[in-house]
Amino acid sequence: MDVIQPIAWSRDGTGVRVLDQRELPAREVYRDLHTVDEVCDAIRALAVRGAPAIGIAGAMGMTLALDGAERCGEEVMIRLGEAHAQIRSARPTAVNLAWAVDRMLDVARGANSRGEDVIEVLRGEATRILEEDRAMCRKIGEHGASLIPDGSRVLTHCNTGALATGGIGTALAAVYVAVEQGKHIEVFADETRPLLQGSRLSAWELERAGIPATVLVDGAAASLMAANKVDLCMVGADRIAANGDTANKIGTYGLAIAAKHHGIPFYVAAPTSTFDAATKTGAEIHIEQRSADEVRCGFGALTAPATVDVYNPAFDVTPASLITAIVSDRGVHRPPFAF
Ligand code: MRU
């Protein structure tokens, strides 16, 4: 498969190159980011998105805090501390972002205390985070594919493929590997209101990979299940609490309830970097609230009165009791969950 690379170092090595996902599926536009501010803007505006991908972008973005004039010392660590705080707060729900920039700051502290060239060490660490994610995606795909029988019709939500990660994805990785194994798989992709990651991004990726995909509006998912057209649901995660409660794109919770009602297995797939043992249950997860205009006029045209109040959480929490199994790079985890 021709793997999409949503994040990489820029060609001259001085910046971070992202595939601007706001432009898809109409145009494939790559942008080079050269400052911490630009990286934070790209993360907030969803030019780069998906829990693993924003972690990688945040890690690479930390290297942009330094101009190379100083190799280590107090001033370098102050600048890195500021960049860390700024990037970490760009989006609150996906734990991968905090996990990645915390790891970068720890590594910088160690390098600084040894008098090493901090920026060089950080570039190496960010590359490692990207490569580790690529390897974890492959493992998730292999474990996840074992849950997908030949001939399955898989319902998914948001985008959890190559665009959301450093590799082939998480929930969609399971589909990609199942197809590699020769299985015939059909995917139903929820449109995913309000920013349409399912119809704009998952459908684009799946078409590129030659996998049969059908887009449906989110409100049609329960009726598709009732019509006996879904064999299993496979979704991603932004943060998995110690008890298995899972935050993911808004609408995931409703999908899990509908799946339970219809007796359809509901699987979550995520890398180790999405598990947050410090968060005991889903009730502790900070849910990002986004702009009202994403709902009132997300793609230009008014779709609600311009001044109407809007409820626009970016994520919801699916209780562990609705999840059949959680797939990670370490294997398939069954309830009761304890991470
Ligand atoms: O707001 P987004 O597009 O960043 O939300 C992404 C999701 O909810 C994904 O399902 C999740 O990050 C997993 S991506 C492998």
Side-chain angles (χ1 to χ4, degrees):
M1 192 175 76
D2 157 31
V3 177
I4 304 153
Q5 264 207 303
I7 320 159
W9 297 111
S10 62
R11 291 223 170 89
D12 64 3
T14 63
V16 178
R17 169 159 292 196
V18 298
L19 170 55
D20 189 337
Q21 300 190 29
R22 294 168 298 183
E23 305 273 1
L24 289 171
R27 297 192 312 146
E28 208 171 317
V29 177
Y30 291 83
R31 295 191 199 285
D32 286 350
L33 312 173
H34 287 106
T35 65
V36 170
D37 283 348
E38 285 175 357
V39 169
C40 289
D41 287 348
I43 290 173
R44 265 192 300 267
L46 274 54
V48 52
R49 49 142 301 280
I54 63 174
I56 296 162
M60 288 180 156
M62 288 267 295
T63 68
L64 306 180
L66 305 175
D67 54 17
E70 313 234 18
R71 301 164 72 86
C72 60
E74 198 180 331
E75 184 57 31
V76 164
M77 291 312 296
I78 290 172
R79 296 245 288 280
L80 281 174
E82 288 165 358
H84 167 266
Q86 193 185 340
I87 298 173
R88 201 179 197 275
S89 64
R91 292 192 79 190
T93 304
V95 70
N96 308 61
L97 181 58
W99 168 85
V101 294
D102 289 356
R103 173 168 158 178
M104 292 289 282
L105 193 60
D106 273 356
V107 165
R109 285 191 182 119
N112 188 54
S113 68
R114 293 187 297 273
E116 293 170 3
D117 183 337
V118 174
I119 186 93
E120 270 317 301
V121 171
L122 286 185
R123 284 204 181 109
E125 192 65 15
T127 302
R128 249 186 308 282
I129 288 174
L130 170 63
E131 283 166 359
E132 283 172 16
D133 190 64
R134 183 174 303 139
M136 287 194 288
C137 286
R138 170 53 50 185
K139 287 271 173 224
I140 293 167
E142 286 163 6
H143 295 304
S146 70
L147 300 170
I148 308 183
D150 189 16
S152 291
R153 296 153 307 169
V154 178
L155 177 58
T156 192
H157 193 68
C158 196
N159 170 263
T160 62
L163 287 169
T165 65
I168 57 170
T170 58
L172 282 190
V175 170
Y176 289 139
V177 173
V179 169
E180 266 175 32
Q181 293 170 344
K183 296 175 186 169
H184 293 92
I185 311 294
E186 195 183 335
V187 177
F188 286 98
D190 276 354
E191 172 190 51
T192 316
R193 283 282 292 157
L195 296 180
L196 311 184
Q197 289 93 331
S199 56
R200 290 189 307 106
L201 308 178
S202 296
W204 181 77
E205 266 199 60
L206 289 162
E207 277 206 340
R208 261 175 80 119
I211 297 173
T214 302
V215 168
L216 58 149
V217 298
D218 301 355
S223 73
L224 189 75
M225 293 181 193
N228 239 334
K229 293 197 168 147
V230 178
D231 298 302
L232 61 99
C233 298
M234 182 79 74
V235 302
D238 287 84
R239 189 181 293 246
I240 299 175
N243 72 342
D245 290 352
T246 294
N248 191 49
K249 177 55 56 192
I250 189 72
T252 304
Y253 175 36
L255 206 60
I257 293 172
K260 182 82 156 186
H261 180 77
H262 292 96
I264 294 169
F266 191 87
Y267 300 120
V268 170
T272 299
S273 50
T274 304
F275 290 73
D276 180 12
T279 294
K280 297 284 168 264
T281 74
E284 293 172 30
I285 299 176
H286 178 179
I287 299 293
E288 176 186 7
Q289 300 290 326
R290 292 190 59 92
S291 151
D293 281 341
E294 288 182 350
V295 175
R296 294 188 296 220
C297 54
F299 293 92
L302 264 190
T303 50
T307 54
V308 75
D309 284 343
V310 167
Y311 173 59
N312 187 22
F315 304 97
D316 56 25
V317 174
T318 299
S321 58
L322 297 177
I323 299 172
T324 312
I326 299 179
V327 185
S328 78
D329 42 294
R330 290 163 289 156
V332 176
H333 313 270
R334 301 270 176 185
F337 303 116
F339 299 113

